[in-house]
Amino acid sequence: MKKVLALVMAAMMALSLVACGGSDSSAAGDSAVNSVVDGVSSAVPAGGTVGICIYKFDDNFMTTYRNKLEEILTGKGYEVSIVDGNNDQAKQTEQIQTFITQGVDALIINPVMTSAAEQIVTMVKDAGVPTVLINREPTEGEMAVYDKIAYVGCDAAQSGTYQGELILETENKGDINGDGKVSYIMIQGDPENVDAKLRTEYSVKALEDAGVEVEELDMQRGDWDQEKGQTITANALAQFGDQVEVVFCNNDAMAMGALEAIKAAGRTVNEDIYLVGVDALDAALDAVAAGEMTGTVLNDADAQAQKAVEVMEALLSGTTYTAEEQQIYVNYVKVTPDNVSEFMAG
Ligand code: GAL
């Protein structure tokens, strides 16, 4: 019955949207209904059009994230259009402009380049479109010129720290060969991105802060990509052999590639090498459960999507954000063999 009612309401919202041309957010605001997200109740517009720009569709984590966004928004009666930036900032900038010209009520943007944030903020500010930036955090202060914009994401330093802790929690604190130092290779995401920078820095810092000596054997950019993760690991294992005790990957896709290379080299995770990632992709959770990955860190796509929609609705309802309020974080969670079952589907 509830479902039928929801469908009828969604149909009515769609009709009212067509009637008002789908571009007048104040008209959408007239038919405000109450919604409860994470226990926070706020008056939100019933339906409306939302343009979503994803930096590239061909990214495992962002695929989970965008599917969740679409599910939540369509479930609430919004008309959603999602576009693929193909990892090309010029293309994404055009897509944003097109959405603005079409008169969308709100935008959710996963920038291609962190460095493009200033330009994006100017565009949406000039058009007066409420906007939520996601996943690629702008530099501090870049959003301050516009009070109808906010960033929803996670504190990348926290995920790095958790990766380091996963190694510290092993029986030999990562020093498998007992030579008094932890020798690692680091496989980075796109280094233009703050997630890659901070995960790299803080994973190693966690070891150093615990008084553990570290040795970086190799650091390469794998651009969040599984195949690159595999190639980089295969090369590093061929070059450094048993010296490699830890493989730090800035995300799980690259860790899955690294796992293939580790197996191909005849090495065994958690026996003669440790492997950690970030995201808690399904494949990584399976690997942690099977003892083929030392651990990962949940990058909570569901919670971030929920929060992004919650903030978008707050903006549509007229809420404004001060510079101090514009960064909204969702926590990362450390995933080990002990708690992995809590994160696995079914
Ligand atoms: C990170 C995520 C990566 C990749 C990247 C894209 O947060 O861990 O897997 O999706 O975002 O910016």
Side-chain angles (χ1 to χ4, degrees):
M1 186 60 208
K2 252 186 171 170
K3 216 172 175 182
V4 174
L5 198 68
L7 282 172
V8 172
M9 279 186 68
M12 282 169 63
M13 287 165 190
L15 277 175
S16 72
L17 190 72
V18 173
C20 68
S23 62
D24 184 350
S25 59
S26 64
D30 288 340
S31 49
V33 294
N34 252 9
S35 125
V36 180
V37 184
D38 286 353
V40 181
S41 174
S42 59
V44 300
T49 48
V50 184
I52 302 181
C53 299
I54 299 296
Y55 93 99
K56 66 169 184 166
F57 278 6
D58 181 19
D59 174 300
N60 307 40
F61 171 72
M62 284 314 303
T63 299
T64 310
Y65 196 152
R66 92 179 126 91
N67 289 341
K68 195 71 199 172
L69 276 174
E70 186 172 21
E71 182 192 317
I72 299 170
L73 287 165
T74 52
K76 282 170 163 276
Y78 290 96
E79 192 183 304
V80 183
S81 173
I82 310 185
V83 292
D84 182 357
N86 290 120
N87 210 18
D88 176 346
Q89 186 57 57
K91 179 171 183 180
Q92 184 180 66
T93 304
E94 267 180 44
Q95 292 170 332
I96 296 170
Q97 194 50 60
T98 303
F99 276 140
I100 290 173
T101 309
Q102 287 169 351
V104 292
D105 294 310
L107 282 163
I108 297 179
I109 303 173
N110 164 212
V112 174
M113 306 283 290
T114 311
S115 56
E118 205 176 328
Q119 184 195 9
I120 293 172
V121 176
T122 306
M123 283 170 79
V124 298
K125 177 178 184 264
D126 289 349
V129 183
T131 301
V132 183
L133 299 178
I134 57 167
N135 177 255
R136 295 187 159 182
E137 185 167 357
T139 315
E140 213 180 321
E142 274 178 335
M143 295 182 292
V145 291
Y146 185 37
D147 61 6
K148 283 193 208 154
I149 194 166
Y151 171 77
V152 171
C154 297
D155 172 13
Q158 184 187 39
S159 54
T161 302
Y162 283 167
Q163 288 191 293
E165 287 177 9
L166 286 166
I167 300 304
L168 289 170
E169 286 160 17
T170 62
E171 57 184 343
N172 40 32
K173 294 189 178 175
D175 184 12
I176 295 173
N177 57 22
D179 66 352
K181 59 178 193 270
V182 173
S183 306
Y184 67 87
I185 63 167
M186 178 69 67
I187 308 181
Q188 275 203 296
D190 175 355
E192 201 260 349
N193 183 311
V194 74
D195 284 0
K197 285 185 194 138
L198 295 182
R199 286 175 192 166
T200 298
E201 182 185 341
Y202 279 82
S203 52
V204 174
K205 186 173 182 301
L207 295 181
E208 289 170 337
D209 287 352
V212 171
E213 196 184 320
V214 293
E215 176 190 33
E216 181 181 285
L217 296 170
D218 199 10
M219 172 153 78
Q220 301 281 339
R221 62 181 285 180
D223 294 317
W224 309 118
D225 181 77
Q226 178 158 348
E227 263 175 47
K228 288 187 184 171
Q230 182 165 355
T231 308
I232 292 166
T233 310
N235 290 342
L237 290 176
Q239 188 178 351
F240 301 104
D242 289 349
Q243 277 178 273
V244 183
E245 295 169 302
V246 174
V247 181
F248 280 115
C249 297
N250 282 174
N251 78 344
D252 280 346
M254 297 188 295
M256 291 297 95
L259 177 58
E260 289 309 310
I262 287 169
K263 285 179 179 171
R267 304 283 294 270
T268 310
V269 172
N270 290 343
E271 282 182 28
D272 58 32
I273 195 161
Y274 293 119
L275 173 64
V276 289
V278 176
D279 282 339
L281 296 180
D282 288 346
L285 293 173
D286 289 344
V288 173
E292 292 192 322
M293 222 174 135
T294 309
T296 184
V297 179
L298 172 70
N299 190 3
D300 200 335
D302 286 11
Q304 287 174 77
Q306 291 281 359
K307 186 58 85 181
V309 172
E310 183 186 335
V311 171
M312 183 203 81
E313 292 194 316
L315 289 166
L316 281 172
S317 303
T319 303
T320 52
Y321 289 81
T322 63
E324 291 72 39
E325 297 165 342
Q326 282 176 320
Q327 256 94 6
I328 297 148
Y329 290 134
V330 167
N331 271 325
Y332 283 108
V333 185
K334 211 169 7 174
V335 182
T336 66
D338 290 339
N339 69 355
V340 67
S341 60
E342 292 169 30
F343 304 93
M344 297 174 83

